[in-house]
Amino acid sequence: MSADRRFVDTNVLVYAHDVTAGDRHARARALVEELWDTRQGCLSVQVLQEFFVTTTRKIPKPLEAAAAARIIGDLAHWHTHAPAAGDVLAAIGIHQQTGASFWAAMILRSAKELGCQALYSDDLHPGQTYEGVQVRNPFQA
């Protein structure tokens, strides 16, 4: 486990590549670049899947599938968690204990499994700690 590992939720990665996202784009891009340079970036297979679908279908200027695939290929060099059936069961427990959505609980489980102390997301309550992982919103001042 490494105290300096930091997990990035899908929404942050999407903003980093959504040129229409204004200030969120700039902040997310800077964070992703910092995590790349410091080798502290962590994510999960779930995040990569959600990133592909969102950036190729759901943003105002969608990426071509090949461009999204290249980005995912680069991100695959980060610390990556591939959840197994036991992780799904653990996420159900997190969901039941905390009230977080199941998908957020899967993200939290992956962050915990990678030894992250921080999760960058704007989908959960900033400052809240779940399973030893503190949520940080990179878009708040």
Side-chain angles (χ1 to χ4, degrees), residues 80-102:
T80 304
H81 182 245
D87 296 302
V88 174
L89 293 171
I92 292 168
I94 294 168
H95 161 72
Q96 290 175 320
Q97 291 170 358
T98 67
S101 76
F102 170 75

Side-chain angles (χ1 to χ4, degrees), residues 11-26:
N11 54 17
V12 176
L13 290 178
V14 169
Y15 285 129
H17 296 280
D18 180 1
V19 296
T20 68
D23 184 53
R24 286 180 179 253
H25 171 68

Side-chain angles (χ1 to χ4, degrees), residues 50-71:
E50 291 173 353
F51 174 84
F52 180 81
V53 171
T54 303
T55 58
T56 60
R57 296 184 183 173
K58 297 181 179 182
I59 61 175
K61 290 187 178 181
L63 301 177
E64 294 290 327
R70 282 190 299 275
I71 294 165

